[in-house]
Amino acid sequence: MSIAFVTVLIVLALLALMVLGTPLGVATLLVSVVTSLIYFGPPGLFLVSSNVYHVLENYSLVAVPLFVFMAGILERSGIAESLFDAMAELGGNFPGSLGIQTCVVAVFLAAMSGIMGGEIVMLGMIALPHMFRLGYDRRLSIGIICAAGALATLIPPSIVMIIYGVTANVSISDLFLGGTGPGLMLAGIYMIYIYTRARLDPTLAPVAVHNTDVPHRKFTAMKNLIAPLFVITSVMGTIYSGIASVTEAAAIGACAAILVALLRKRLSYGMIRDTFRQTVLTVGSVVWLVLGAVSLVGIYNIIGGSRFLQGVLEGLDWHPILVILLMMAIVFVLGTFMEWIAIVFITVPIFAPVVVAFGYDPIWFGVLFAMNIQIYYLSPPFGPACFFLKSVAPPDVTLQEIFASVWPFVLMQIVGLLLVLFFPQIALFIPEMLSR
């Protein structure tokens, strides 16, 4: 059988299994096992297991459960509420101020956790009801929560960046630096959009009435910023000062989160137990996706699949930018029925060598890839961000309303991706500046 025909059969088999309701990790693992048995017989099972073992022993992946644990502790420590209180006192009152303050809080939360789901849940529980009470436009409020919460895919320490770095074998620290500029750029675009709409139609985003002139309240607000800055510094500061690797910094960040919870008198046995349980459930689902995706890609590479697809991409008589846009389109389509972790492990081993062969920086492509994953987070019909928000939103907020609310922000994300695509220095400026 030709490799092109085998590729079509593998895709059809995956689609058929997912239509039958088979979990994606099990579906990819099953297809890889069947493919290995067809090509190599019983010894093919050893190839499947060796491929998986090689990835799971990667030291950098240890950072994933540590960051998930850190995010869980911070979520239960009440730090998000403190951030909102601080922003309300220090941010001032102007058109769209609450929406803009929500974006600022989202940037802080992203820089502390790197986990998108938990961030959207926190924003949905704290900011969304406040916006509704103040009289904010429902669609604008919902869009702000989903888009701002998805910034964790770009702003370090991003779990997406860690998985991409492991898969593409590039520096995770450089990926973190590369994602910082585009992440802040997108946050800035959201803020400009919110302010502009609020200025044009003040009824969309009424101004809250706060007495921000009381000195002790401002002092309290500044105190509330100490804990978030401490956690961010404990992670990012140790990485870029050379004190710790990304994995070691994740452990330091987890300890910093526990210390913050202790000082805020939120630390308890029940809190630790629930956080460990949630961490195991989250990381367990991640591991199954990794097992399936890595085993499938490993077998597919052995039978010549990656060489075939790379040859197809490199053989296209297109400008390299058009080929990269095609890659982005493929990732976007896969996002309609696949988890992002599986997308990374399936596509990056094929796409990254082609991008390097074209002479482009893999760090830049990694940032583009993460931005595409961010678009997938918001886009129907899958749109994980929309489902996360639905789980904590008031009962009258329907999933259809959430999907309709995110489209302006999806368009802004696409604009941001195109800006980074055509102006790579947006992503590469900080890594290049710090590497000198």
Side-chain angles (χ1 to χ4, degrees):
M1 290 187 293
S2 70
I3 190 62
F5 183 65
V6 171
T7 301
V8 173
L9 286 181
I10 288 175
V11 172
L12 291 177
L14 284 174
L15 290 174
L17 287 170
M18 285 188 285
V19 167
L20 292 173
T22 308
L24 181 58
V26 176
T28 50
L29 186 60
L30 182 61
V31 171
S32 67
V33 168
V34 172
T35 304
S36 65
L37 288 174
I38 291 174
Y39 268 86
F40 307 106
L45 297 177
F46 173 76
L47 294 175
V48 173
S49 61
S50 62
N51 286 330
V52 170
Y53 180 80
H54 173 70
V55 172
L56 292 183
E57 71 175 353
N58 193 304
Y59 181 61
S60 297
L61 280 180
V62 178
V64 174
L66 291 171
F67 279 128
V68 172
F69 176 78
M70 182 180 77
I73 292 291
L74 292 173
E75 179 182 346
R76 293 167 173 81
S77 68
I79 202 167
E81 294 95 326
S82 297
L83 274 171
F84 270 101
D85 291 341
M87 288 299 106
E89 295 298 328
L90 300 175
N93 296 325
F94 51 87
S97 57
L98 180 58
I100 291 173
Q101 290 159 12
T102 300
C103 290
V104 174
V105 170
V107 170
F108 272 94
L109 293 176
M112 285 188 289
S113 67
I115 308 293
M116 184 216 68
E119 184 174 347
I120 288 180
V121 168
M122 285 189 281
L123 293 174
M125 293 175 65
I126 300 167
L128 188 62
H130 190 21
M131 288 182 182
F132 283 179
R133 284 195 300 270
L134 194 59
Y136 264 57
D137 178 77
R138 288 172 64 90
R139 289 195 173 186
L140 179 62
S141 304
I142 292 168
I144 291 171
I145 299 298
C146 289
L151 288 171
T153 59
L154 275 176
I155 295 175
S158 163
I159 300 297
V160 175
M161 296 287 194
I162 294 173
I163 301 296
Y164 175 90
V166 169
T167 311
N169 196 28
V170 297
S171 168
I172 297 173
S173 299
D174 286 344
L175 283 169
F176 282 176
L177 288 174
T180 301
L184 295 177
M185 177 191 71
L186 273 178
I189 291 174
Y190 299 156
M191 293 179 197
I192 293 170
Y193 171 76
I194 296 166
Y195 180 76
T196 302
R197 290 204 64 187
R199 289 289 294 182
L200 294 174
D201 186 357
T203 62
L204 293 177
V207 178
V209 178
H210 290 297
N211 181 10
T212 58
D213 297 326
V214 182
H216 75 85
R217 293 180 63 175
K218 286 188 175 293
F219 178 72
T220 301
M222 294 181 70
K223 281 174 56 180
N224 286 335
L225 293 177
I226 294 175
L229 291 174
F230 169 68
V231 175
I232 293 170
T233 304
S234 68
V235 176
M236 305 313 299
T238 53
I239 292 175
Y240 296 115
S241 64
I243 296 174
S245 66
V246 171
T247 303
E248 292 159 351
I252 294 170
C255 293
I258 292 174
L259 179 59
V260 167
L262 178 63
L263 294 176
R264 294 175 60 85
K265 299 181 181 179
R266 298 289 187 95
L267 192 67
S268 65
Y269 167 75
M271 177 190 185
I272 295 293
R273 179 198 61 208
D274 293 343
T275 304
F276 271 125
R277 179 185 293 120
Q278 187 58 48
T279 301
V280 170
L281 291 173
T282 302
V283 176
S285 64
V286 168
V287 168
W288 271 109
L289 288 169
V290 171
L291 286 173
V294 169
S295 61
L296 178 60
V297 170
I299 292 299
Y300 188 66
N301 289 346
I302 291 173
I303 64 177
S306 63
R307 290 191 301 274
F308 164 70
L309 292 178
Q310 289 172 19
V312 169
L313 290 172
E314 292 176 357
L316 291 174
D317 189 21
W318 295 1
H319 190 280
I321 290 295
L322 292 178
V323 177
I324 291 174
L325 282 172
L326 175 62
M327 294 177 185
M328 296 292 102
I330 292 171
V331 171
F332 183 81
V333 171
L334 290 176
T336 61
F337 60 90
M338 272 191 182
E339 292 279 357
W340 69 267
I341 296 175
I343 295 173
V344 173
F345 278 105
I346 290 172
T347 61
V348 169
I350 297 167
F351 291 169
V354 175
V355 171
V356 173
F358 285 152
Y360 291 105
D361 194 314
I363 301 297
W364 167 74
F365 182 73
V367 174
L368 286 177
F369 196 95
M371 296 183 80
N372 205 341
I373 294 295
Q374 187 182 67
I375 295 171
Y376 135 82
Y377 267 128
L378 265 67
S379 302
F382 194 67
C386 302
F387 289 93
F388 281 126
L389 181 58
K390 174 58 182 171
S391 68
V392 295
D396 63 321
V397 177
T398 65
L399 196 57
Q400 291 76 15
E401 184 180 16
I402 296 175
F403 281 141
S405 302
V406 299
W407 278 114
F409 293 89
V410 170
L411 293 176
M412 284 182 265
Q413 290 175 336
I414 293 173
V415 169
L417 186 147
L418 292 175
L419 285 172
V420 175
L421 177 68
F422 292 108
F423 302 97
Q425 286 304 114
I426 296 175
L428 298 177
F429 172 73
I430 297 178
E432 290 176 356
M433 180 180 66
L434 295 183
S435 66
R436 292 171 184 170

